[in-house]
Amino acid sequence: MGFNEDKYMNFKVICGKKTIQIGNEELKQKLKKDLATNTHLSVFLGSGCSTKAIPLMGTTFKKFKNEKENDTYFNDIYKRFCSKNPKDKSNIESFLSWIGSGIEFSSDSQLKDIKDKLTSELIESVKAPFDDYGLVKETQDENSEEIKKTKDLYNKFVKSLSVIKSNSNDRFDIINIFTTNYDLFIERALDDLGFSYTDGFNRGLAYKFDVSEYSKRPVDTHNRFKDHWSTISPFFRVYKLHGSINWIRHQVSETKTEFIKTPNISNKKDEVLIAPTSSKYAETQGSPYSDLFRELSVKLLMPNSILLLNGFSFGDEHINELISQSLSRPDFKLIAFVDEKNDVTKDFIDRVGGNSRAIFITDGDNKNSEHAYYFSTLVDLLDSNNLFGSENQFDTTEKDESVPESKNDKN
């Protein structure tokens, strides 16, 4: 077409030492080429993906502080925190970590009360879009429209991922979805669309976590008389790295603990969640988190892998290290939609700078109506109608001959 006008340059792509400006259509085609190939596809979704329905932690912290405006004890504690951490005044993780350290060396019950109440408000803000049984609320309240938009975004995202794999004749037809979010939008999208998936919990009267569930694959028995059954495709694996609002800890005995998924999220005790504190790395060393992070490490090390990332600002060093290690391999690629102006994100971009397998997509000189790092932007770019023109077929891409073709070579 010959477009050269700046108004079409909506995105900036940082790839190794190169930085280029590209438009929507060009980026869609590049995503098509990368994702619709014989690759092991993993997706990483952070809290930014759910912000239309669930406030950011900083927003929850600000609301909590406003509620404590006349609380003399809290204000004194907060002033002391600010004096020692002047750059972290709005950082809920730093505040909870500081409070936690104080609890270890103090018998003051009010400190624990502050930590418990703030953590509780954080969890309640995540539960807010869902009813008691984990279904997305349909009620007409002040945030109902944003909740509906978020639900629709997740549904479109999951559908587009399935179309990418289904239409690419890709022998790697499992899609791994990793997330640090506690919410249930991913599971609800998969349920709404009728896709087969595992979240690491077995089936039974009590849905118990068992990491071996990730190694299982259902088969299609619709035609039970055919000679060979085929596996259901595509198939999703969901990994909730920091826990979920519908998980609980069940103490079976003094020496045995089970982790159970429950459909009822109201008034739930013993939620299995990793709170946003400096001790979260230590908490990931115990079950079930150690199993989940091991799965992340294993999947990123699979040959010919792509990690598609959105809504994550690289604030978790444990995860950053796993991604950095993967980037040392020649057959791994990171495609991350990010806010380049975020200091923590910028530090990670600089950290892996020069690596052409790390692709960061951010706002161009003439950005879209919504930022590049918004989940809605990624969903629009991956929309099957936009990406392929048809859900039934699209132009074939060059096969990657570096992967051995084998019926048993499944991710």
Side-chain angles (χ1 to χ4, degrees):
M1 302 266 188
F3 289 136
N4 288 311
E5 299 178 43
D6 288 343
K7 67 180 180 178
Y8 294 101
M9 301 298 105
N10 309 109
F11 297 96
K12 179 167 76 170
V13 178
I14 304 169
C15 180
K17 297 180 180 179
K18 295 181 179 180
T19 299
I20 61 172
Q21 299 277 336
I22 65 174
N24 284 43
E25 294 305 316
E26 185 179 357
L27 183 54
K28 287 174 185 176
Q29 293 307 312
K30 287 183 179 297
L31 284 172
K32 169 185 172 180
K33 183 178 180 181
D34 278 338
L35 300 181
T37 55
N38 286 320
T39 57
H40 293 102
L41 176 59
S42 293
V43 177
F44 194 104
L45 303 179
S47 60
C49 296
S50 302
T51 52
K52 287 185 178 294
I54 299 170
L56 291 170
M57 288 189 291
T59 303
T60 300
F61 190 26
K62 182 178 180 180
K63 177 176 176 287
F64 183 81
K65 288 185 291 184
N66 290 339
E67 291 171 350
K68 297 288 186 179
E69 184 177 4
N70 298 318
D71 187 325
T72 304
Y73 179 83
F74 172 80
N75 288 323
D76 178 58
I77 291 296
Y78 182 63
K79 286 179 182 177
R80 286 161 58 189
F81 165 73
C82 292
S83 66
K84 295 181 179 295
N85 305 274
K87 294 182 179 180
D88 294 331
K89 293 181 179 180
S90 301
N91 190 315
I92 190 172
E93 181 171 328
S94 294
F95 181 71
L96 285 173
S97 299
W98 185 76
I99 288 285
S101 298
I103 292 171
E104 291 183 20
F105 303 101
S106 172
S107 59
D108 190 345
S109 62
Q110 293 185 78
L111 276 179
K112 185 177 185 304
D113 186 57
I114 290 173
K115 182 181 179 182
D116 290 346
K117 285 183 177 179
L118 179 52
T119 302
S120 177
E121 287 207 14
L122 175 62
I123 294 172
E124 289 305 313
S125 72
V126 179
K127 289 183 179 180
F130 308 95
D131 65 19
D132 290 348
Y133 297 97
L135 299 173
V136 179
K137 288 180 178 177
E138 300 292 341
T139 55
Q140 297 298 315
D141 57 30
E142 59 182 75
N143 201 35
S144 60
E145 188 61 31
E146 296 304 320
I147 292 173
K148 183 180 183 303
K149 286 179 181 178
T150 303
K151 177 184 176 183
D152 290 344
L153 284 174
Y154 275 93
N155 282 20
K156 290 178 181 178
F157 180 68
V158 167
K159 182 180 179 182
S160 294
L161 290 179
S162 72
V163 171
I164 287 170
K165 284 301 182 186
S166 297
N167 287 350
S168 64
N169 294 318
D170 196 338
R171 61 185 178 275
F172 300 130
D173 56 352
I174 292 179
I175 301 169
N176 303 300
I177 300 180
F178 295 91
T179 180
T180 51
N181 296 347
Y182 309 140
D183 66 63
L184 306 175
F185 282 113
I186 276 292
E187 295 96 315
R188 287 306 170 201
L190 291 165
D191 287 340
D192 288 349
L193 296 169
F195 288 117
S196 293
Y197 70 97
T198 181
D199 55 6
F201 288 81
N202 60 23
R203 301 294 183 264
L205 290 176
Y207 288 75
K208 295 185 290 187
F209 181 82
D210 183 350
V211 71
S212 68
E213 289 295 315
Y214 288 117
S215 63
K216 298 176 182 178
R217 180 77 182 273
V219 296
D220 185 357
T221 61
H222 180 69
N223 184 351
R224 68 186 66 184
F225 300 110
K226 59 187 177 183
D227 294 333
H228 300 285
W229 286 344
S230 301
T231 54
I232 291 176
S233 179
F235 182 65
F236 291 81
R237 297 189 186 117
V238 178
Y239 303 85
K240 312 271 304 253
L241 297 173
H242 285 174
S244 181
I245 57 173
N246 65 334
W247 296 5
I248 60 172
R249 180 183 289 103
H250 175 56
Q251 195 70 40
V252 179
S253 65
E254 291 185 4
T255 58
K256 184 178 180 181
T257 301
E258 292 179 340
F259 299 91
I260 297 173
K261 182 177 66 173
T262 171
N264 192 331
I265 67 171
S266 63
N267 301 317
K268 191 156 60 65
K269 296 179 180 180
D270 296 323
E271 284 123 335
V272 187
L273 303 173
I274 294 182
T277 67
S278 58
S279 64
K280 63 185 179 183
Y281 172 76
E283 292 185 54
T284 64
Q285 304 309 295
S287 180
Y289 306 109
S290 56
D291 298 314
L292 292 165
F293 272 88
R294 190 179 305 111
E295 287 291 315
L296 173 60
S297 176
V298 168
K299 295 302 178 290
L300 294 185
L301 291 174
M302 296 290 285
N304 284 25
S305 295
I306 285 181
L307 179 65
L308 178 65
L309 182 147
N310 185 257
F312 181 67
S313 60
F314 299 96
D316 192 319
E317 185 55 32
H318 191 184
I319 295 169
N320 294 351
E321 184 60 31
L322 291 177
I323 296 175
S324 296
Q325 290 173 6
S326 300
L327 283 167
S328 66
R329 293 183 16 253
D331 56 353
F332 175 84
K333 182 179 290 186
L334 169 68
I335 303 176
F337 287 76
V338 300
D339 178 10
E340 185 189 10
K341 295 180 181 179
N342 181 292
D343 289 339
V344 179
T345 301
K346 189 176 184 303
D347 287 344
F348 186 80
I349 294 175
D350 292 342
R351 171 176 168 179
V352 300
N355 192 324
S356 61
R357 294 180 296 281
I359 301 168
F360 299 96
I361 300 164
T362 186
D363 289 338
D365 291 340
N366 296 287
K367 74 176 184 65
N368 297 296
S369 58
E370 295 196 330
H371 290 288
Y373 55 88
Y374 282 3
F375 188 42
S376 55
T377 300
L378 175 59
V379 171
D380 179 64
L381 288 166
L382 291 183
D383 184 88
S384 55
N385 292 321
N386 291 335
L387 190 59
F388 305 130
S390 166
E391 290 190 11
N392 298 317
Q393 63 180 33
F394 59 91
D395 293 338
T396 56
T397 55
E398 184 177 350
K399 182 183 290 187
D400 186 348
E401 299 295 346
S402 64
V403 183
E405 197 156 351
S406 169
K407 292 181 180 180
N408 297 319
D409 192 9
K410 289 284 184 180
N411 50 340

